[in-house]
Amino acid sequence: MSCPVQHGSGGTVTLDPYVKDLRAEREILYAAGPITRVELPGGVTAWAATRHEVARATLTDPRLVKDVAYWDDLQQGRIPEAWPLMSTIPPAPTNLLGADGAEHKRLRLLTAKAFSARTVERLRPRIHELTNDLLDALEPRAHEPLDLKGEFAFKLPMSVIGELYGVDSAEHGHLRDMYVKFFSSVTSPEEFMETYATMERYYEDLIAEKLANPGDDLTTELLNAGENGDALTHLEVRGTLQVVVAAGHETTVNLLCNAVRALLAHPEQFDLVKQGKVGWDTVVEETLRFDPPTSNMVFRFATEDIEIGGETIRKGEALMTSYGAISRDRDEHGEDPHPDTFDLTRQKGRHISFGYGPHVCPGSHLARIEGQIALPLLFERFPDLKLAVPDGELENHPSIVVNSLKELPVLLRP
Ligand code: HEM
């Protein structure tokens, strides 16, 4: 097998930005573990945690922080200008994802109710309706190949986020279009700034609207959140709304696509679901383990030298969490069934694809509900759904961070 991932000098693993062979990359990273040096595009180097034990330890170690002020390579000008991964690193602690320590704890406490299972459970019936609406819209094209990612998996989580925000369903399309532009890799710097300004205005208007007309939604919950005289500033409400999309949209898109792909590629496993021997919750969990929506989460920075897994992360160095490799950990998931197989009957081990420790995903309940509702509705409506190209021809979006297919071409009614 030709392998785009290589061991460089001194045991450094070079990651392939084009993600030609993700499966091989996971195995190489795992084999290099439990913690290894990696080379990223642009010659930037970092550590990668590749096994459960080291991931759990590093994700709960207060000496590893999100604040880029601690990243020597950045502070000393060694990161290339316009380095593509820079956009995935939160610039300032105005939201959960980028904050540390006491500030992060404060934001988590203030946002806990807004993300609670109770708030999210309210959305269940709407997720059903939104899924069925999207499936209805696909009916006329059921006999021709279409991209299930673009037409379904991308649209549903954005509509659900729209519901969560408390925006009218007529506006879901606008929200979607804004983010398509925002995340596009072919947007010019001028277009990007324009989209950014549009988004700022959008969130300001949404906040003003919810202040005037409070609703049963996340935006209102965030505006009302407060304890002991402390409350979220409007900037922090905006930051939280933004991070919901940044952390919660593409990840959920990937969960849906990866589950469809895994079921179609493993008909004997899919039969267990069809026969009612395993539930859709198991499909969601095994997909999260087998094909985690985030391949590598960047970055945490060492505030002092840290000895772990037989290595020393030096003060000022960067560490990423390699969920793809972690999902192959034999110590956690055993050898039989092999972690590289999609097996809905597997008993051993628990994935940590939603993270671990203080930053653990507050949207996990919502993501799980979406998968558990959308996947059965999709396959009940289109029981003969199949890929329109061989699985081996599916291509990954070129990203070290997200585990995202470029497209998922299917035939709904072959
Ligand atoms: C399958 C879908 C999802 C996956 C795999 C996922 C994964 C993750 C992971 C790994 C983290 C931890 C990041 C870190 O350690 O730095 C995280 C954080 C976060 N996620 Fe999710 N997520 C998903 C869906 C969602 C959804 C639907 C929402 C919103 C409704 C959401 C909101 C967030 C937020 C706000 C954070 C930041 C929490 C913090 O830093 O304290 N996520 N997610």
Side-chain angles (χ1 to χ4, degrees), residues 357-380:
H359 286 271
V360 69
C361 179
S364 59
H365 191 65
L366 180 59
R368 285 181 160 122
I369 291 184
E370 279 184 65
Q372 291 165 15
I373 294 174
L375 294 167
L377 288 180
L378 171 70
F379 283 107
E380 273 159 28

Side-chain angles (χ1 to χ4, degrees), residues 218-288:
L218 179 117
T219 314
T220 306
E221 292 273 12
L222 293 173
L223 288 166
N224 291 340
E227 282 189 345
N228 309 325
D230 191 15
L232 293 170
T233 64
H234 286 190
L235 189 66
E236 287 167 341
V237 171
R238 222 164 64 195
T240 309
L241 293 172
Q242 295 253 33
V243 88
V244 163
V245 179
H249 181 252
E250 186 155 12
T251 43
T252 311
V253 176
N254 299 346
L255 166 62
L256 297 176
C257 288
N258 296 350
V260 171
R261 180 185 191 182
L263 289 170
L264 297 179
H266 301 88
E268 76 300 342
Q269 294 294 315
F270 198 1
D271 281 345
L272 298 177
V273 186
K274 291 177 188 163
Q275 293 157 9
K277 291 184 179 154
V278 295
W280 287 96
D281 52 341
T282 307
V283 173
V284 168
E285 297 312 309
E286 176 62 352
T287 302
L288 287 163

Side-chain angles (χ1 to χ4, degrees), residues 66 96-97 104 108 243 247-248 251 293 300 353-355 359 361-363 367:
K66 299 283 192 105
L96 291 161
L97 210 50
H104 177 253
R108 282 294 286 222
V243 88
T251 43
R300 281 163 171 80
S353 298
F354 284 119
H359 286 271
C361 179

Side-chain angles (χ1 to χ4, degrees), residues 30 33 40 83 85 89 103 110 132 151 163 191 194 209 222 241 252 273 306 308 323 329 363 368 371-372 377:
Y30 167 75
L40 306 170
W83 189 53
L85 268 79
I89 301 173
E103 184 52 25
L110 285 168
N132 277 327
E151 302 294 338
E163 292 289 322
E191 276 175 314
E194 201 184 303
E209 153 70 15
L222 293 173
L241 293 172
T252 311
V273 186
I306 299 169
I308 188 148
Y323 289 108
D329 190 345
R368 285 181 160 122
Q372 291 165 15
L377 288 180

